[in-house]
Amino acid sequence: MSTFNYQIISGYMLLRRCWTHRISIAPVGLRARCYSSARHHGITLEKPVQSYISRSSDPFINLSIEHYLLQKSHPESSILFLYVNRPSVIIGRNQNPWLEVNLGLLNAAKTSPDSPSRIENEPPGLGDVDLVRRRSGGGTVFHDGGNVNWTVISPAATFTRDKHAEMVTRALRSCGVGRSRVNERHDIVLDQGTSDFTGAWGPDDDTHSTPWQSSTIRPLKVSGSAYKLTRARALHHGTALLNSPNLHVIPSYLRSPAKQYIKGRSVDSVSSPVGNILLNNDEFIQNVQREYKELYSGAAKAVELGDECLEIEEVRKGHAELSSLEWTYMQTPQFTFSDLPLKPEQKEGEIDYSDAKFRLDVRYGAVTGCQLKLKDSTTQQSERLAQLLEKKHVHEITDWGALFKEAASESAEAMDMAKWVQSMLSIPH
């Protein structure tokens, strides 16, 4: 026999049948949504307060679970989701991977030695590194086993940009990290100044200040913030830099060689000095879970999730989308690449490209225009190259030298230009 649940919304009683069929009865003009109470590998979407922790280190799976929880959970519920990813570079929804990431390093370990995209100076020890475009905004971050990623999903009506950064800061201070605070950008930093203060600056003290703030010494950023907001829901997530063994090589991955040659409409990352908090993952996780329970009364023990969540259709589809090259590269906002070094303050639309020897216009990852002006190149060669490149996707171009040759641009100057473009734009295959 099926069971019936009753819920009062805005003075109306909704009859919901949650079994093999779901029925909602409501007056005309009132929309009601039925949230299944069935469990999917321990996920209970209707529960008012939920807590999950992932066993998977796959960034595509974890971000897909996160999106599933955002999209399918009850709009009045609150959710904590914690996970640790394998080495990966995560860019924001509206960012340009050619601008933010040294793409040649990502999969250098498996790039063929004779590939034109081969990078010889790979930082040792990392091997292959995933590139993921997440669905939320914000800047680029590096994930590895020394980072714990925290996500809180809550009703939009009660959300503030500081609320959950303050929660994590209280957790850090409970671990003895008194120098932690929330800054004006809603990030968590560690102050590096000196102070005569000898007491304990704990979780009950102001989370936006510490006795070690300094006007001359920049704090170390240890957890950024990114958001995804919908009409009813708010997602806030961050990456706590606890004990990463890769601090010395992270800058190599987040420093694109093409950065000064690209101008476009993407959201640029804001560079900040970073440092390890020097906590182990388990201690941080336990304290964040405790602070979450205090903030949202009624939180039960965290449910473990993992790769089995791919059996959930929405998670499986999300994973397929996030891991596709189309999502990673063809969602890139419009940009122009040229051989002219640009200054950060120069704005798109105000740049004179008349002296550029090579210019490439790109929209959603596809070439929309190209210009080649070398001493020994002809107008016909430039037009031929533009024809060859028209509507090609930049991430699919594996050999720029071959394209230049096909356009009959085989001079030493042209081959040098092709080699340079290859080093700036190509991704390893």
Side-chain angles (χ1 to χ4, degrees), residues 213-239:
Q213 283 181 251
S214 171
S215 59
T216 58
I217 304 175
R218 294 183 69 183
L220 297 178
K221 182 177 175 180
V222 294
S223 184
S225 287
Y227 310 91
K228 184 171 180 61
L229 307 178
T230 67
R231 182 180 60 83
R233 304 292 271 158
L235 179 149
H236 180 184
H237 56 185
T239 300

mmCIF file of all heavy atoms in Angstrom, residues 213-239:
data_model
loop_
_atom_site.group_PDB
_atom_site.id
_atom_site.type_symbol
_atom_site.label_atom_id
_atom_site.label_comp_id
_atom_site.label_asym_id
_atom_site.label_seq_id
_atom_site.Cartn_x
_atom_site.Cartn_y
_atom_site.Cartn_z
ATOM 1 N N GLN A 213 46.602 41.437 12.369
ATOM 2 C CA GLN A 213 46.424 42.164 11.112
ATOM 3 C C GLN A 213 47.517 43.205 10.959
ATOM 4 O O GLN A 213 47.969 43.808 11.936
ATOM 5 C CB GLN A 213 45.053 42.841 11.070
ATOM 6 C CG GLN A 213 43.916 41.883 10.758
ATOM 7 C CD GLN A 213 42.569 42.570 10.708
ATOM 8 O OE1 GLN A 213 41.747 42.384 11.592
ATOM 9 N NE2 GLN A 213 42.343 43.366 9.675
ATOM 10 N N SER A 214 47.941 43.411 9.716
ATOM 11 C CA SER A 214 49.026 44.351 9.447
ATOM 12 C C SER A 214 48.703 45.173 8.211
ATOM 13 O O SER A 214 48.104 44.665 7.256
ATOM 14 C CB SER A 214 50.340 43.584 9.234
ATOM 15 O OG SER A 214 51.365 44.443 8.770
ATOM 16 N N SER A 215 49.098 46.419 8.229
ATOM 17 C CA SER A 215 48.886 47.285 7.068
ATOM 18 C C SER A 215 50.024 47.164 6.065
ATOM 19 O O SER A 215 49.933 47.682 4.947
ATOM 20 C CB SER A 215 48.763 48.744 7.519
ATOM 21 O OG SER A 215 49.939 49.150 8.212
ATOM 22 N N THR A 216 51.092 46.471 6.439
ATOM 23 C CA THR A 216 52.262 46.360 5.558
ATOM 24 C C THR A 216 52.551 44.930 5.113
ATOM 25 O O THR A 216 53.181 44.722 4.075
ATOM 26 C CB THR A 216 53.515 46.918 6.258
ATOM 27 O OG1 THR A 216 53.727 46.207 7.491
ATOM 28 C CG2 THR A 216 53.346 48.407 6.555
ATOM 29 N N ILE A 217 52.111 43.943 5.874
ATOM 30 C CA ILE A 217 52.376 42.546 5.528
ATOM 31 C C ILE A 217 51.079 41.895 5.065
ATOM 32 O O ILE A 217 50.093 41.846 5.814
ATOM 33 C CB ILE A 217 52.950 41.763 6.730
ATOM 34 C CG1 ILE A 217 54.209 42.452 7.263
ATOM 35 C CG2 ILE A 217 53.257 40.325 6.324
ATOM 36 C CD1 ILE A 217 54.760 41.801 8.516
ATOM 37 N N ARG A 218 51.074 41.406 3.840
ATOM 38 C CA ARG A 218 49.854 40.807 3.293
ATOM 39 C C ARG A 218 49.553 39.477 3.971
ATOM 40 O O ARG A 218 50.465 38.677 4.228
ATOM 41 C CB ARG A 218 49.991 40.580 1.784
ATOM 42 C CG ARG A 218 50.098 41.846 0.963
ATOM 43 C CD ARG A 218 50.168 41.517 -0.519
ATOM 44 N NE ARG A 218 48.900 40.973 -1.011
ATOM 45 C CZ ARG A 218 48.712 40.547 -2.265
ATOM 46 N NH1 ARG A 218 49.721 40.578 -3.125
ATOM 47 N NH2 ARG A 218 47.543 40.077 -2.642
ATOM 48 N N PRO A 219 48.288 39.215 4.259
ATOM 49 C CA PRO A 219 47.936 37.913 4.832
ATOM 50 C C PRO A 219 48.036 36.817 3.778
ATOM 51 O O PRO A 219 48.065 37.095 2.573
ATOM 52 C CB PRO A 219 46.487 38.116 5.276
ATOM 53 C CG PRO A 219 45.954 39.160 4.355
ATOM 54 C CD PRO A 219 47.107 40.082 4.074
ATOM 55 N N LEU A 220 48.092 35.577 4.222
ATOM 56 C CA LEU A 220 48.110 34.438 3.313
ATOM 57 C C LEU A 220 46.686 33.944 3.100
ATOM 58 O O LEU A 220 45.953 33.695 4.056
ATOM 59 C CB LEU A 220 48.965 33.302 3.883
ATOM 60 C CG LEU A 220 50.452 33.584 4.076
ATOM 61 C CD1 LEU A 220 51.142 32.367 4.692
ATOM 62 C CD2 LEU A 220 51.118 33.959 2.756
ATOM 63 N N LYS A 221 46.310 33.788 1.856
ATOM 64 C CA LYS A 221 44.982 33.267 1.540
ATOM 65 C C LYS A 221 44.993 31.751 1.696
ATOM 66 O O LYS A 221 45.850 31.065 1.150
ATOM 67 C CB LYS A 221 44.606 33.648 0.109
ATOM 68 C CG LYS A 221 43.230 33.198 -0.332
ATOM 69 C CD LYS A 221 42.957 33.713 -1.738
ATOM 70 C CE LYS A 221 41.649 33.216 -2.298
ATOM 71 N NZ LYS A 221 41.410 33.743 -3.669
ATOM 72 N N VAL A 222 44.033 31.226 2.451
ATOM 73 C CA VAL A 222 43.989 29.779 2.685
ATOM 74 C C VAL A 222 42.668 29.153 2.245
ATOM 75 O O VAL A 222 42.536 27.932 2.221
ATOM 76 C CB VAL A 222 44.257 29.445 4.170
ATOM 77 C CG1 VAL A 222 45.688 29.807 4.546
ATOM 78 C CG2 VAL A 222 43.261 30.146 5.091
ATOM 79 N N SER A 223 41.682 29.967 1.892
ATOM 80 C CA SER A 223 40.432 29.428 1.360
ATOM 81 C C SER A 223 39.684 30.534 0.632
ATOM 82 O O SER A 223 39.285 31.525 1.245
ATOM 83 C CB SER A 223 39.553 28.849 2.477
ATOM 84 O OG SER A 223 38.393 28.240 1.934
ATOM 85 N N GLY A 224 39.519 30.360 -0.677
ATOM 86 C CA GLY A 224 38.747 31.324 -1.451
ATOM 87 C C GLY A 224 37.266 31.016 -1.365
ATOM 88 O O GLY A 224 36.839 30.074 -0.696
ATOM 89 N N SER A 225 36.468 31.818 -2.042
ATOM 90 C CA SER A 225 35.018 31.623 -2.053
ATOM 91 C C SER A 225 34.487 31.729 -3.473
ATOM 92 O O SER A 225 34.922 32.583 -4.245
ATOM 93 C CB SER A 225 34.314 32.675 -1.182
ATOM 94 O OG SER A 225 34.510 32.419 0.190
ATOM 95 N N ALA A 226 33.559 30.849 -3.809
ATOM 96 C CA ALA A 226 32.846 30.913 -5.084
ATOM 97 C C ALA A 226 31.385 30.589 -4.811
ATOM 98 O O ALA A 226 31.064 29.884 -3.845
ATOM 99 C CB ALA A 226 33.434 29.936 -6.095
ATOM 100 N N TYR A 227 30.509 31.094 -5.673
ATOM 101 C CA TYR A 227 29.077 30.998 -5.407
ATOM 102 C C TYR A 227 28.313 30.603 -6.668
ATOM 103 O O TYR A 227 28.740 30.878 -7.783
ATOM 104 C CB TYR A 227 28.522 32.348 -4.932
ATOM 105 C CG TYR A 227 29.311 32.974 -3.816
ATOM 106 C CD1 TYR A 227 30.364 33.845 -4.091
ATOM 107 C CD2 TYR A 227 29.020 32.695 -2.486
ATOM 108 C CE1 TYR A 227 31.099 34.422 -3.070
ATOM 109 C CE2 TYR A 227 29.754 33.269 -1.458
ATOM 110 C CZ TYR A 227 30.788 34.130 -1.756
ATOM 111 O OH TYR A 227 31.519 34.690 -0.746
ATOM 112 N N LYS A 228 27.184 29.969 -6.443
ATOM 113 C CA LYS A 228 26.183 29.788 -7.493
ATOM 114 C C LYS A 228 24.833 30.054 -6.851
ATOM 115 O O LYS A 228 24.441 29.379 -5.887
ATOM 116 C CB LYS A 228 26.219 28.385 -8.095
ATOM 117 C CG LYS A 228 25.231 28.238 -9.265
ATOM 118 C CD LYS A 228 25.413 26.938 -10.002
ATOM 119 C CE LYS A 228 24.413 26.810 -11.150
ATOM 120 N NZ LYS A 228 24.566 27.878 -12.165
ATOM 121 N N LEU A 229 24.132 31.052 -7.369
ATOM 122 C CA LEU A 229 22.865 31.479 -6.784
ATOM 123 C C LEU A 229 21.731 31.230 -7.760
ATOM 124 O O LEU A 229 21.835 31.540 -8.950
ATOM 125 C CB LEU A 229 22.924 32.968 -6.425
ATOM 126 C CG LEU A 229 24.102 33.410 -5.542
ATOM 127 C CD1 LEU A 229 24.057 34.914 -5.322
ATOM 128 C CD2 LEU A 229 24.100 32.670 -4.221
ATOM 129 N N THR A 230 20.651 30.651 -7.265
ATOM 130 C CA THR A 230 19.435 30.486 -8.046
ATOM 131 C C THR A 230 18.313 31.235 -7.330
ATOM 132 O O THR A 230 18.529 31.849 -6.279
ATOM 133 C CB THR A 230 19.063 28.999 -8.204
ATOM 134 O OG1 THR A 230 18.682 28.463 -6.920
ATOM 135 C CG2 THR A 230 20.241 28.197 -8.740
ATOM 136 N N ARG A 231 17.126 31.176 -7.883
ATOM 137 C CA ARG A 231 16.017 31.913 -7.276
ATOM 138 C C ARG A 231 15.757 31.455 -5.846
ATOM 139 O O ARG A 231 15.480 32.270 -4.965
ATOM 140 C CB ARG A 231 14.752 31.727 -8.118
ATOM 141 C CG ARG A 231 13.540 32.503 -7.607
ATOM 142 C CD ARG A 231 12.340 32.267 -8.500
ATOM 143 N NE ARG A 231 11.978 30.860 -8.537
ATOM 144 C CZ ARG A 231 11.217 30.271 -7.603
ATOM 145 N NH1 ARG A 231 10.770 30.965 -6.580
ATOM 146 N NH2 ARG A 231 10.922 28.989 -7.714
ATOM 147 N N ALA A 232 15.870 30.159 -5.604
ATOM 148 C CA ALA A 232 15.526 29.632 -4.284
ATOM 149 C C ALA A 232 16.722 29.147 -3.478
ATOM 150 O O ALA A 232 16.619 28.981 -2.262
ATOM 151 C CB ALA A 232 14.524 28.483 -4.429
ATOM 152 N N ARG A 233 17.861 28.930 -4.145
ATOM 153 C CA ARG A 233 18.985 28.277 -3.479
ATOM 154 C C ARG A 233 20.266 29.084 -3.618
ATOM 155 O O ARG A 233 20.454 29.850 -4.568
ATOM 156 C CB ARG A 233 19.212 26.877 -4.063
ATOM 157 C CG ARG A 233 18.009 25.974 -3.998
ATOM 158 C CD ARG A 233 17.669 25.595 -2.562
ATOM 159 N NE ARG A 233 18.356 24.396 -2.133
ATOM 160 C CZ ARG A 233 18.574 24.097 -0.856
ATOM 161 N NH1 ARG A 233 18.237 24.940 0.101
ATOM 162 N NH2 ARG A 233 19.161 22.958 -0.533
ATOM 163 N N ALA A 234 21.160 28.887 -2.657
ATOM 164 C CA ALA A 234 22.470 29.531 -2.678
ATOM 165 C C ALA A 234 23.536 28.491 -2.362
ATOM 166 O O ALA A 234 23.423 27.757 -1.373
ATOM 167 C CB ALA A 234 22.523 30.668 -1.659
ATOM 168 N N LEU A 235 24.542 28.416 -3.206
ATOM 169 C CA LEU A 235 25.665 27.504 -2.987
ATOM 170 C C LEU A 235 26.919 28.333 -2.758
ATOM 171 O O LEU A 235 27.236 29.233 -3.530
ATOM 172 C CB LEU A 235 25.845 26.583 -4.192
ATOM 173 C CG LEU A 235 26.993 25.569 -4.137
ATOM 174 C CD1 LEU A 235 26.622 24.307 -4.922
ATOM 175 C CD2 LEU A 235 28.310 26.131 -4.686
ATOM 176 N N HIS A 236 27.616 28.033 -1.683
ATOM 177 C CA HIS A 236 28.884 28.690 -1.360
ATOM 178 C C HIS A 236 29.908 27.590 -1.141
ATOM 179 O O HIS A 236 29.712 26.709 -0.308
ATOM 180 C CB HIS A 236 28.727 29.530 -0.087
ATOM 181 C CG HIS A 236 29.986 30.244 0.329
ATOM 182 N ND1 HIS A 236 30.071 30.975 1.492
ATOM 183 C CD2 HIS A 236 31.211 30.340 -0.252
ATOM 184 C CE1 HIS A 236 31.283 31.494 1.606
ATOM 185 N NE2 HIS A 236 31.997 31.114 0.558
ATOM 186 N N HIS A 237 30.988 27.613 -1.927
ATOM 187 C CA HIS A 237 32.032 26.622 -1.682
ATOM 188 C C HIS A 237 33.408 27.261 -1.698
ATOM 189 O O HIS A 237 33.625 28.327 -2.267
ATOM 190 C CB HIS A 237 31.947 25.424 -2.637
ATOM 191 C CG HIS A 237 31.976 25.743 -4.096
ATOM 192 N ND1 HIS A 237 31.812 24.785 -5.067
ATOM 193 C CD2 HIS A 237 32.151 26.905 -4.768
ATOM 194 C CE1 HIS A 237 31.878 25.335 -6.257
ATOM 195 N NE2 HIS A 237 32.088 26.610 -6.105
ATOM 196 N N GLY A 238 34.324 26.568 -1.014
ATOM 197 C CA GLY A 238 35.691 27.045 -0.906
ATOM 198 C C GLY A 238 36.654 25.880 -0.818
ATOM 199 O O GLY A 238 36.252 24.722 -0.644
ATOM 200 N N THR A 239 37.937 26.182 -0.947
ATOM 201 C CA THR A 239 38.993 25.174 -0.892
ATOM 202 C C THR A 239 39.938 25.528 0.244
ATOM 203 O O THR A 239 40.646 26.535 0.173
ATOM 204 C CB THR A 239 39.769 25.133 -2.223
ATOM 205 O OG1 THR A 239 38.872 24.807 -3.283
ATOM 206 C CG2 THR A 239 40.880 24.104 -2.174
#
